[in-house]
């Protein structure tokens, strides 16, 4: 790295606003700059605040299908972003959703801001999206569901069973669910379903609450009844 490159690298690390301007509208040049100057390495304590300030803009760009943003966020998954566990978890959840939305082809057929402002309204009945054919790809094995069989048959889960359900939603399954919802947001022919899918994406930020979320529980219940009707469970 020559002296000019070192000077640019130092400026990017010492002046958050300069880096923020580069990240506001990610493009091919943004990726080149981040890689060339190793911007996210030894970036200092301001990274979490920088990312928090970028979330609203990145959310919109992801809804518009900015693929460059998706690449940036994949690199950030390997980078420590906050020394505060609660803040780090919050950022990780938001950045995961944004990354999946950015990598999903297509553009939102609606304004995401309306859903964000009236989230609870759009979540009413949204658990029914679990019944769509597109969600049948979310698989739970017979062995996974067998310990829950008696309680699922009675439509009720004990606190211990809910902890068990939480463990069913491991990282790979979480990403698969979020990816399917992102696809529905951008590609489903009914506008109302697109909006509800996005509302679900927003409401699934807290991974710890998946075992209580009506949509997630409906996914588990649907697979249970698929097996039960075939007399497998």
């Amino acid at each position: 790295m020559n002296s000019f490159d070192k000077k640019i690298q130092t400026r990017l690390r010492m002046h958050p606003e300069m880096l923020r301007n580069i990240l506001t509208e990610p493009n091919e040049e943004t990726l080149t700059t981040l890689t060339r100057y190793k911007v996210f390495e030894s970036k200092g304590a301001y990274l979490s605040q920088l990312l928090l300030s970028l979330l609203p803009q990145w959310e919109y760009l992801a809804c518009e299908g900015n693929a460059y943003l998706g690449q940036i966020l994949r690199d950030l998954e390997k980078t420590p972003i906050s020394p505060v566990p609660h803040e780090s978890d919050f950022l990780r959840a938001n950045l995961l959703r944004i990354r999946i939305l950015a990598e999903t082809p297509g553009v939102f057929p609606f304004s995401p801001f309306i859903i964000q402002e009236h989230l609870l309204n759009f979540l009413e009945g949204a658990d029914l999206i679990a019944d769509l054919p597109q969600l049948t790809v979310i698989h739970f094995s017979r062995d996974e569901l067998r310990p829950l069989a008696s309680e699922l048959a009675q439509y009720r889960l004990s606190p211990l069973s809910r902890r068990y359900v939480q463990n069913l939603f491991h990282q790979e399954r979480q990403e698969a669910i979020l990816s399917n919802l992102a696809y529905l947001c951008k590609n489903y022919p009914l506008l109302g379903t697109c909006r509800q899918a996005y509302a679900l994406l927003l409401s699934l930020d807290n991974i710890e609450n998946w075992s209580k979320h009506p949509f997630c529980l409906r996914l588990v219940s649907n697979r249970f009844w698929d097996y039960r009707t075939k007399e497998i469970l």
Side-chain angles (χ1 to χ4, degrees):
M1 184 179 292
N2 58 40
S3 59
F4 177 77
D5 283 347
K6 288 182 179 179
K7 184 180 294 186
I8 296 298
Q9 185 183 61
T10 301
R11 286 182 178 177
L12 287 171
R13 290 178 177 175
M14 297 299 293
H15 300 283
E17 195 57 35
M18 182 178 179
L19 178 56
R20 189 183 190 285
N21 290 337
I22 293 174
L23 293 171
T24 299
E25 294 282 348
N27 53 40
E28 188 172 358
E29 185 177 347
T30 305
L31 294 174
T32 301
T33 299
L34 294 177
T35 301
R36 181 174 182 178
Y37 300 115
K38 298 180 173 61
V39 172
F40 292 135
E41 296 181 18
S42 303
K43 66 293 167 197
Y46 68 79
L47 181 58
S48 61
Q49 296 306 307
L50 173 67
L51 294 176
L52 286 169
S53 71
L54 287 166
L55 286 181
Q57 172 68 4
W58 278 0
E59 183 85 29
Y60 176 76
L61 292 177
C63 297
E64 295 296 305
N66 187 311
Y68 299 109
L69 175 58
Q71 295 180 55
I72 291 172
L73 295 181
R74 279 202 174 271
D75 289 339
L76 270 174
E77 289 176 348
K78 309 168 188 175
T79 304
I81 57 178
S82 174
V84 182
H86 177 74
E87 184 176 62
S88 180
D89 291 343
F90 172 80
L91 281 168
R92 291 291 182 199
N94 278 271
L95 294 177
L96 174 62
R97 180 188 67 253
I98 292 172
R99 191 258 293 169
I100 289 175
L101 280 170
E103 292 178 338
T104 302
V107 177
F108 269 29
F110 57 87
S111 169
F113 304 117
I114 295 176
I115 316 301
Q116 294 166 17
E117 292 173 3
H118 305 284
L119 181 60
L120 293 180
N121 291 338
F122 286 100
L123 283 174
E124 291 184 10
D127 59 306
L128 295 177
I129 286 181
D131 299 345
L132 294 178
Q134 287 83 353
L135 273 300
T136 57
V137 297
I138 307 302
H139 176 72
F140 298 91
S141 72
R142 287 174 292 174
D143 289 339
E144 285 179 311
L145 297 184
R146 190 169 284 115
L148 301 170
S150 61
E151 293 186 26
L152 286 173
Q154 299 175 30
Y155 299 98
R156 57 186 299 179
L157 293 175
S158 67
L160 181 61
S161 293
R162 287 186 182 275
R163 287 196 290 273
Y164 178 83
V165 168
Q166 182 65 46
N167 292 329
L168 294 180
F169 293 104
H170 50 69
Q171 183 176 351
E172 293 79 8
R173 193 167 274 152
Q174 290 169 9
E175 291 207 26
I177 292 170
L178 296 176
S179 295
N180 275 273
L181 289 174
Y183 176 83
L184 292 175
C185 290
K186 295 184 175 183
N187 298 284
Y188 200 77
L190 297 180
L191 183 60
T193 299
C194 295
R195 289 171 169 169
Q196 285 188 315
Y198 181 55
L200 286 173
L201 277 175
L202 293 174
S203 69
L204 290 171
D205 269 354
N206 189 341
I207 301 300
E208 297 302 317
N209 287 337
W210 280 40
S211 65
K212 303 174 185 177
H213 199 292
F215 168 75
C216 296
L217 292 175
R218 195 175 184 96
L219 278 177
V220 173
S221 180
N222 283 353
R223 300 303 162 264
F224 165 75
W225 287 109
D226 287 343
Y227 287 127
R228 177 55 63 92
T229 55
K230 297 174 185 176
E231 297 184 352
I232 297 177
L233 275 176

